Amino acid sequence: MSKRKHNNRTHKKGRLLPFIIFHRWIGLSSLLLLILVSITGILLNHTEEFSLDEQYINNNWLQKWYGIKMPEQQKIIKLDNDHFAQIGKQIYFNQLRIAEDNAPLRGVYKTNDFNVIILRDSLYLLTFDGDLIEKINSENGLPTPISHAGFSDSKNKQIILEIKKKLYTTKDNFISWSEAKTEIISPLILGKPDNDVKENYRNAYLGNELSLERVILDLHSGRLFGSLGIYLMDFAAIILIMLGLSGTWIWSRRFRKKY
Amino acid sequence: MRHLLFLFILVLSMNSFSKGVYQSNDDFLNEVFENKVPKTQTLWLLGEIKKGAKKILGEKPGQLRIRYWKKNQQTSWILEEIGKEKLITVGLVINNNQLNQIKVLAFRESRGWEVKEPFFLEQFFQVKLTSELQLNRTIDGISGATLSVRALKKLARLALFYHMQIMSNQKV
């Protein structure tokens, strides 16, 4: 090899070297972020398969970070050995989440066949195991808004609902409603819960607020670390573009030199 | 520029007008039964009926008691199913084990409202249920409304299945 040719090659290699070092260091410095974005991206692509939206994180630190706390609207009612609750907009039966409903809880009672939860705008009929039999609201014939609920007498427990100062009752298992000719004689008897039950409901509520999908999504976008995290992920994306461009450029220079 | 702005507003307004309640449950039933709505009856999803409903829905049915209205061999159902995130309310009429009418009564999702259009719903006319609890005819989808289309197909299968249960119980 002639001395001139050798000098030429060393000169060209020397010109490429800063780009190779640049390419290497931006690759290494952004590796962790790129791995994070890639793994969270794969998980989010398969949200349904991994049931990410059905899994919840019950971690005090993360709940505080997200500002998740117990809502002011809390009502827990004890009836026989069962507890019914409305915490925020969540309706519970023995800590089992039944539905989301914002309307205020008016009371609960039991018929011979099922449990009944009465809210301002709807009734929830449940089996004694907590399975939903039917949600009844104005769309299927329930007069609303319910202001009070009680019984026409304490023995037969015929339910009476007060709606816009009129009284209504049902004679066919909550399918249709007609004006009642009696008054509310006996109110619904609602017991207060024990302290340990309150703590259980606190866990039931907080443990079902933060889904795994939300945390992974926020990790992916960087939002989990606030506005700084978003810029960090933007930086990772720019680095990825630069890596691609610098890699292609170095490869093209080497390719041209080889052939 | 002005045309572009007009187009943008038109697209936005189409989206907001397309979701909502199109017809109340009562109006639908009055239309089906020509203002002589029969007494409400209920079907309990227990045993084999619950299993069939679970097979169609792919999960446990959301409630155990379903209301229906029956006149001679015709039954009418108002059923709900989630499209992507919110419930779609659909009115269905079954006669002689065939779907005679399907109508979207309320659509609450922000996308997929095209399923309320007659060009899509006409495909369900006189569709039947196979022994595998599938529709006996292919229903063409709508791009951008995949989940809403899937929800409507499930509700059509459910109503046909429930109707068959009512009619078979009546024969016994």
Side-chain angles (χ1 to χ4, degrees):
Chain A
M1 187 187 292
S2 70
K3 196 176 178 182
R4 194 179 165 190
K5 210 170 182 180
H6 175 76
N7 282 346
N8 196 21
R9 187 170 288 179
T10 315
H11 180 66
K12 277 186 177 171
K13 197 176 178 184
R15 269 169 53 189
L16 263 182
L17 198 61
F19 290 99
I20 293 170
I21 293 169
F22 172 76
H23 182 77
R24 186 181 298 153
W25 280 107
I26 57 167
L28 282 172
S29 61
S30 60
L31 187 65
L32 269 178
L33 287 176
L34 294 179
I35 290 172
L36 180 74
V37 171
S38 306
I39 292 175
T40 50
I42 291 168
L43 288 172
L44 289 172
N45 248 353
H46 301 277
T47 299
E48 283 182 16
E49 286 98 321
F50 294 131
S51 306
L52 298 180
D53 53 342
E54 290 165 18
Q55 297 180 54
Y56 292 89
I57 296 174
N58 196 359
N59 176 283
N60 279 342
W61 182 84
L62 269 176
Q63 284 163 355
K64 271 185 192 167
W65 184 257
Y66 273 89
I68 294 169
K69 55 184 179 184
M70 287 295 279
E72 282 180 18
Q73 187 184 355
Q74 292 179 43
K75 205 169 189 177
I76 306 172
I77 296 166
K78 189 179 179 187
L79 187 62
D80 300 336
N81 291 322
D82 295 318
H83 286 91
F84 301 79
Q86 183 180 39
I87 297 171
K89 58 181 179 181
Q90 306 292 350
I91 309 294
Y92 295 92
F93 168 72
N94 288 339
Q95 292 157 52
L96 179 75
R97 198 155 63 162
I98 302 296
E100 278 191 10
D101 205 317
N102 256 337
L105 182 64
R106 298 294 190 222
V108 297
Y109 81 105
K110 289 173 187 247
T111 69
N112 291 332
D113 304 314
F114 34 75
N115 295 315
V116 185
I117 304 177
I118 305 169
L119 280 88
R120 186 191 60 200
D121 303 322
S122 49
L123 304 182
Y124 290 86
L125 310 185
L126 308 179
T127 63
F128 294 128
D129 293 329
D131 288 327
L132 181 67
I133 294 169
E134 194 179 7
K135 178 188 176 182
I136 303 170
N137 56 20
S138 58
E139 283 177 21
N140 41 26
L142 178 74
T144 57
I146 300 166
S147 50
H148 294 98
F151 302 118
S152 57
D153 62 82
S154 52
K155 271 188 182 175
N156 292 330
K157 291 200 168 179
Q158 177 67 39
I159 191 73
I160 307 281
L161 305 178
E162 186 183 322
I163 296 135
K164 294 176 184 167
K165 295 185 178 169
K166 283 184 178 174
L167 300 175
Y168 291 85
T169 191
T170 176
K171 284 175 184 167
D172 53 3
N173 262 338
F174 304 90
I175 292 170
S176 64
W177 296 83
S178 55
E179 276 197 49
K181 287 169 187 161
T182 54
E183 290 181 6
I184 295 179
I185 308 267
S186 157
L188 301 180
I189 298 163
L190 310 170
K192 285 188 177 175
D194 305 327
N195 277 337
D196 60 328
V197 171
K198 280 184 183 173
E199 189 56 33
N200 291 343
Y201 271 101
R202 184 185 158 79
N203 291 335
Y205 179 83
L206 293 177
N208 274 300
E209 279 299 290
L210 186 59
S211 74
L212 188 57
E213 184 189 22
R214 186 174 165 192
V215 174
I216 293 175
L217 191 64
D218 288 347
L219 257 175
H220 188 73
S221 65
R223 282 189 171 79
L224 189 66
F225 309 106
S227 52
L228 186 73
I230 297 170
Y231 290 121
L232 201 67
M233 287 304 171
D234 288 346
F235 173 72
I238 292 166
I239 291 285
L240 191 63
I241 295 166
M242 285 167 73
L243 263 179
L245 291 175
S246 60
T248 310
W249 191 80
I250 292 166
W251 170 80
S252 71
R253 298 295 293 180
R254 281 182 174 162
F255 183 82
R256 200 185 298 169
K257 197 170 71 180
K258 199 170 177 180
Y259 300 101
Chain B
M1 188 65 193
R2 201 180 292 169
H3 290 93
L4 270 175
L5 189 69
F6 174 74
L7 198 67
F8 180 68
I9 292 167
L10 188 72
V11 169
L12 276 184
S13 59
M14 268 176 72
N15 188 39
S16 55
F17 284 131
S18 53
K19 62 176 179 179
V21 178
Y22 310 126
Q23 189 174 29
S24 73
N25 297 358
D26 286 345
D27 287 349
F28 172 73
L29 292 170
N30 279 321
E31 187 184 283
V32 170
F33 295 104
E34 294 168 339
N35 294 321
K36 289 174 186 168
V37 181
K39 198 180 162 194
T40 308
Q41 299 184 58
T42 55
L43 172 71
W44 282 82
L45 306 189
L46 302 169
E48 290 302 311
I49 303 179
K50 191 177 177 183
K51 274 185 197 167
K54 191 179 175 185
K55 189 179 174 188
I56 290 169
L57 290 167
E59 60 186 351
K60 209 170 81 173
Q63 60 183 60
L64 297 177
R65 193 170 83 170
I66 308 290
R67 294 178 186 219
Y68 70 94
W69 297 263
K70 182 173 174 291
K71 193 174 183 181
N72 303 327
Q73 296 301 302
Q74 178 176 291
T75 58
S76 184
W77 307 80
I78 294 172
L79 303 174
E80 290 186 318
E81 172 65 2
I82 291 175
K84 186 169 189 287
E85 291 170 337
K86 293 178 181 171
L87 287 169
I88 305 169
T89 309
V90 178
L92 305 107
V93 181
I94 318 286
N95 202 337
N96 198 20
N97 289 334
Q98 289 184 338
L99 185 59
N100 266 15
Q101 193 183 348
I102 180 167
K103 200 169 188 180
V104 177
L105 304 182
F107 190 88
R108 301 166 184 91
E109 303 270 13
S110 54
R111 286 180 186 182
W113 53 270
E114 296 88 342
V115 292
K116 78 179 173 75
E117 298 297 339
F119 77 85
F120 172 71
L121 297 174
E122 277 164 7
Q123 299 182 88
F124 286 91
F125 185 61
Q126 292 194 334
V127 76
K128 286 181 177 180
L129 201 63
T130 66
S131 54
E132 295 296 309
L133 304 185
Q134 297 291 336
L135 299 178
N136 70 338
R137 196 190 304 153
T138 307
I139 305 292
D140 292 333
I142 303 171
S143 61
T146 311
L147 295 175
S148 303
V149 169
R150 196 178 295 167
L152 257 73
K153 281 158 80 173
K154 277 184 189 176
L155 292 181
R157 289 165 65 199
L158 266 186
L160 285 161
F161 174 67
Y162 292 159
H163 175 90
M164 282 167 70
Q165 303 309 310
I166 302 289
M167 292 305 166
S168 61
N169 280 346
Q170 204 176 45
K171 279 178 192 168
V172 175

